[in-house]
Amino acid sequence: TGGTTINGELALNYERVCGNKGYSQDFRNKNKTRFSEDSPHKYKNNVNATRMLSNMRGASDISNNRVPIRSLGNRLQRIEINGKFFYPETHGHFFNFYMHEVGFTDCDYVANEIGAKFWDKDWHRPLELHVPCRSHLDIFLSMCNHRQVNFTCKSDFKEEFDKCIGGEDKRFDIQELTHPNIHLKCFRSPSKINAYLDYMGERLQKKEIQTKYKHRKTNAQRKDERQECLLLPKYADYSIQIVRHLQAVRSLSEYFSFCSKCHHTENELV
């Protein structure tokens, strides 16, 4: 939801923002109709659709050969070959093959919740990659919520843990992101999201018409902190075990290591 909000806020009020959750040129109309809580045109099943997309093989990976890239103009061929992937956007989520075809030469800001390999390409100018840094337990509980796993803090937690993680996460891979044209930066999330939006607002071109962003849910409502067993004082030792297990997941370990080194340095944006 944090990534959706950042993409939406920036695409709504600034020019040349390109993201998997929205583009500058048409986001104002979508915010006014499709994403409005009181609009008859809103996507009532947005949460379930977004979760479905995240689980659909190929929907979030441009390198997946099962999603062939076809001309945007040849819609009938796309329907015939790609089946359920025929439309470039669904429930406010743009597929990566569509983003790739449109290109990024007219983008000042690119937002994409995607594997690290997406960023390792020949960009037309140096890329400053902003990494949202979350705490171990916050990101873990977010994963559980996204995959609709009720983590119960039982003694043998491996099954629930694996369901929450959903396999090796590929969003952060320091080897893929080590590139002379990529400069890694960080900010704390979700605590610093508003400060980050202000930071970017000073660097992007404002639209002539400024509009209030209407929040849209892409995940089910998280539990109250008093209901999350991992956040209760009596489970403090248990939480330490979860952190250790998260550190054993290679990409997550690299992610937490990067964030730890980035905090309190010139590379921390806000």
Side-chain angles (χ1 to χ4, degrees):
T1 302
T4 301
T5 298
I6 290 173
N7 189 166
E9 288 271 13
L10 296 181
L12 179 63
N13 288 311
Y14 300 92
E15 303 286 1
R16 294 181 294 280
V17 172
C18 311
N20 69 316
K21 298 296 180 66
Y23 283 73
S24 292
Q25 62 262 36
D26 62 351
F27 201 90
R28 183 170 179 268
N29 287 338
K30 290 182 178 180
N31 184 69
K32 185 178 180 180
T33 58
R34 189 176 303 180
F35 302 149
S36 172
E37 287 298 316
D38 56 358
S39 169
H41 307 294
K42 74 174 183 176
Y43 287 126
K44 296 181 180 179
N45 297 319
N46 188 52
V47 171
N48 290 331
T50 304
R51 184 176 294 111
M52 175 190 72
L53 293 177
S54 70
N55 293 325
M56 284 163 56
R57 183 172 175 80
S60 61
D61 187 355
I62 196 171
S63 65
N64 193 315
N65 292 328
R66 293 182 63 183
V67 187
I69 297 173
R70 301 291 172 185
S71 167
L72 287 175
N74 197 343
R75 189 170 182 270
L76 292 178
Q77 186 181 34
R78 170 163 288 160
I79 294 173
E80 179 182 354
I81 295 177
N82 292 351
K84 59 188 174 185
F85 295 110
F86 74 90
Y87 198 66
E89 181 245 2
T90 182
H91 295 270
H93 184 120
F94 286 92
F95 293 132
N96 284 296
F97 67 84
Y98 170 80
M99 295 180 70
H100 181 75
E101 288 188 38
V102 171
F104 305 98
T105 54
D106 293 325
C107 306
D108 288 340
Y109 187 95
V110 177
N112 204 358
E113 297 164 309
I114 188 63
K117 190 174 180 61
F118 172 85
W119 304 105
D120 184 16
K121 60 172 80 223
D122 293 327
W123 298 88
H124 61 288
R125 51 184 166 177
L127 177 69
E128 191 174 278
L129 189 59
H130 300 171
V131 180
C133 288
R134 304 175 71 168
S135 70
H136 292 72
L137 295 184
D138 181 59
I139 198 169
F140 176 70
L141 291 173
S142 177
M143 289 175 171
C144 294
N145 180 63
H146 178 66
R147 294 182 171 91
Q148 292 186 297
V149 178
N150 181 28
F151 194 79
T152 59
C153 294
K154 60 184 180 183
S155 57
D156 182 6
F157 57 77
K158 186 180 186 307
E159 182 180 356
E160 290 182 352
F161 180 90
D162 290 344
K163 287 181 179 179
C164 289
I165 295 298
E168 180 78 3
D169 192 290
K170 300 291 185 181
R171 285 196 186 182
F172 191 91
D173 186 321
I174 197 65
Q175 185 174 350
E176 294 279 4
L177 299 176
T178 300
H179 189 283
N181 211 33
I182 295 178
H183 308 283
L184 292 174
K185 306 289 183 178
C186 69
F187 64 97
R188 298 172 194 253
S189 179
S191 62
K192 294 283 189 177
I193 285 181
N194 288 335
Y196 175 73
L197 291 172
D198 291 340
Y199 173 88
M200 289 310 307
E202 296 173 356
R203 289 157 176 80
L204 296 172
Q205 180 185 344
K206 281 188 176 183
K207 290 183 178 179
E208 182 177 354
I209 299 176
Q210 295 290 291
T211 310
K212 184 178 180 181
Y213 175 72
K214 294 179 179 178
H215 177 75
R216 62 192 247 247
K217 298 177 181 178
T218 54
N219 276 323
Q221 183 68 36
R222 288 224 352 220
K223 293 180 185 176
D224 185 276
E225 288 188 2
R226 293 167 294 183
Q227 297 177 309
E228 290 283 12
C229 60
L230 279 178
L231 301 180
L232 299 177
K234 67 177 181 179
Y235 286 101
D237 291 340
Y238 190 95
S239 298
I240 292 174
Q241 295 183 56
I242 295 298
V243 170
R244 288 173 179 166
H245 275 70
L246 289 171
Q247 289 289 162
V249 180
R250 185 181 67 84
S251 58
L252 289 177
S253 177
E254 291 181 352
Y255 166 77
F256 293 127
S257 176
F258 163 76
C259 288
S260 177
K261 294 175 182 177
C262 182
H263 290 159
H264 306 296
T265 70
E266 62 182 8
N267 290 321
E268 187 169 29
L269 300 174
V270 292

